[in-house]
Amino acid sequence: MIPVRDDLRALEGYHSPQVDVRVRLNTNESPLAPPTAWRDALAAEMSRVEWHRYPDRQAIGLRQAIADFHGVSADMVFAANGSNEVLQTILLTYAGAGRSVATFEPTYQMHAQIARVVGSTVVAGERDADFSIDPAEMQRVVESARPHVTFLTSPNNPTGLVEPAERIEQLLQLSSGLVVADEAYAQFANWSALSMLDEQRPLVITRTFSKTWSMAGVRLGYVIGPTWFIGELDKVVLPYHLDTAKQIAGRLALRFVDEMDDRVRLIVAERERLSAALSEMPIDVTPSGANFVLFRPRVVSGRALWQGLLDRSVLVRDCSGWPRLADCLRVTIGTPDENEAFLTAVADVLAEQGDHHEP
Ligand code: PMP
């Protein structure tokens, strides 16, 4: 066997088990498919593609469509294969070996994972018990580590918490490095940092087509930021990294904004219904601005509840063994029927197991 890079030996990889169940609420996908009219438009354009040619290297049409959607210029947009590849390209460009990357834990695990893969040192700030970030902790992390890149995920995964604007403002004041606001779930929340973007500020915002656009199967994400930043990413990413089919799929999706808004409205309403129903049970619920909810049962262990749900063919994300998330589970908002099946199963497991644990 050939040994891997010394600094990769301890790395574990990112796991999200894919089990065959009736109700799958574990990966924050949309439960609803994109509109049929989008499929038809996609099929029509795909039939005209010159497949023997490389794709548009700059993905001009797609960038322009994303830029128009957000009211920015196309040279403020960079797209890649899922926002994970966007994050990787950002870290290859602004972090890499010998530089440090700051996160506030618990948060999206791929930030630290990708940072390690590109050879950076990860500095983990700690959130408070309610998962908010204390400005004093932010100051400690930024002043001690002087990170080249700092991540703020809003809404945060897996907690669902939305960062207040002042937190991003404070971070920009404190830090001399790049601030990446990961807004994979922002359209489910009540605000976005988009209006804080400025050519003179090192703030960039990442987004994805995987959630609100119901297109996790396409693998498409993007970042909006100052033009000097976008120009550097374009130098680092592989040539022709975005295939023709994906460019078309993304560009056409942006013609169906009203349908996307309708889906988001339904999921937000269901999130509120589900959160309220869980709060009626012996369960602590973290307020969420995303398409998922983090919760912690009080009368059984998180692991026992997860297994009880799986036994009833309902799969949620088991965060109970993750650092700082003892007994926590995360449920993705599904269709009304799926959410009902989930709530019934939770009540059932608690009734069955809680009796044995109640003092
Ligand atoms: N950021 C956050 C906070 C996420 O939760 C996810 C998906 N789980 C991503 C980025 C990556 O999304 P994708 O690569 O599908 O665009």
Side-chain angles (χ1 to χ4, degrees):
M1 248 172 32
I2 313 281
V4 295
R5 255 165 52 191
D6 292 345
D7 59 332
L8 292 187
R9 246 179 244 154
L11 219 60
E12 281 190 1
Y14 183 78
H15 303 288
S16 182
Q18 294 197 309
V19 189
D20 202 14
V21 287
R22 199 164 38 84
V23 181
R24 183 146 36 114
L25 302 173
N26 67 328
T27 48
N28 298 346
E29 293 153 328
S30 170
L32 306 164
T36 314
W38 171 79
R39 279 173 186 256
D40 294 345
L42 182 61
E45 279 212 33
M46 295 283 268
S47 69
R48 294 193 294 271
V49 168
E50 295 185 352
W51 291 107
H52 56 298
R53 301 292 180 199
Y54 278 114
D56 171 1
R57 183 161 171 180
Q58 291 295 320
I60 304 283
L62 173 64
R63 280 194 205 215
Q64 189 62 58
I66 295 170
D68 291 347
F69 174 62
H70 288 296
V72 299
S73 59
D75 54 3
M76 291 177 70
V77 177
F78 169 85
N81 295 283
S83 55
N84 280 338
E85 195 190 44
V86 172
L87 299 171
Q88 184 188 52
T89 311
I90 294 172
L91 290 177
L92 282 170
T93 312
Y94 285 94
R99 292 189 163 200
S100 61
V101 172
T103 62
F104 293 92
E105 301 294 334
T107 190
Y108 182 46
Q109 293 176 322
M110 286 306 293
H111 295 156
Q113 167 85 6
I114 302 170
R116 291 197 180 98
V117 169
V118 304
S120 304
T121 305
V122 176
V123 186
E126 296 290 330
R127 289 168 187 264
D128 283 352
D130 66 357
F131 301 125
S132 65
I133 304 174
D134 182 344
E137 171 67 355
M138 210 161 69
Q139 183 164 6
R140 184 192 69 76
V141 168
V142 172
E143 289 182 354
S144 62
R146 304 234 150 268
H148 285 84
V149 177
T150 303
F151 285 104
L152 268 194
T153 314
S154 182
N156 189 33
N157 179 11
T159 65
L161 278 194
V162 180
E163 292 302 336
E166 60 175 315
R167 204 63 77 248
I168 294 178
E169 200 62 66
Q170 282 160 343
L171 185 55
L172 285 163
Q173 299 283 327
L174 287 167
S175 168
S176 54
L178 190 71
V179 172
V180 180
D182 182 335
E183 290 198 348
Y185 304 95
Q187 281 139 299
F188 299 111
N190 50 9
W191 90 280
S192 151
L194 271 171
S195 63
M196 296 172 74
L197 286 178
D198 187 302
E199 191 65 16
Q200 310 307 323
R201 288 176 132 171
L203 171 67
V204 304
I205 293 174
T206 60
R207 291 280 183 103
T208 179
F209 279 80
S210 299
K211 322 288 177 183
T212 47
W213 294 100
S214 297
M215 286 166 57
V218 173
R219 309 301 301 126
L220 182 60
Y222 58 95
V223 58
I224 308 179
T227 55
W228 49 263
F229 161 82
I230 300 294
E232 298 299 335
L233 300 190
D234 278 328
K235 289 185 213 161
V236 171
V237 77
L238 295 174
Y240 308 112
H241 68 295
L242 270 190
D243 63 76
T244 303
K246 194 182 316 268
Q247 293 187 31
I248 295 172
R251 182 166 47 71
L252 292 178
L254 293 158
R255 291 192 191 156
F256 298 93
V257 176
D258 289 348
E259 289 82 345
M260 186 273 287
D261 283 340
D262 287 346
R263 290 194 302 268
V264 168
R265 257 194 299 277
L266 172 74
I267 289 167
V268 168
E270 279 294 295
R271 177 189 74 208
E272 296 308 305
R273 184 176 78 83
L274 186 143
S275 298
L278 284 180
S279 302
E280 298 284 306
M281 302 185 205
I283 287 177
D284 295 327
V285 180
T286 307
S288 171
N291 66 337
F292 55 84
V293 175
L294 189 79
F295 62 100
R296 182 188 274 143
R298 292 197 292 267
V299 291
V300 297
S301 73
R303 182 71 199 177
L305 178 52
W306 182 82
Q307 186 61 53
L309 292 175
L310 188 58
D311 294 344
R312 287 158 181 80
S313 209
V314 176
L315 180 63
V316 300
R317 194 72 193 264
D318 181 11
C319 313
S320 64
W322 300 2
R324 309 166 186 88
L325 290 168
D327 286 320
C328 289
L329 305 180
R330 190 196 68 193
V331 59
T332 303
I333 306 302
T335 61
D337 284 351
E338 288 173 326
N339 300 333
E340 214 38 56
F342 160 77
L343 288 169
T344 305
V346 172
D348 199 32
V349 177
L350 290 184
E352 184 187 279
Q353 300 193 10
D355 291 345
H356 310 302
H357 291 76
E358 206 99 54

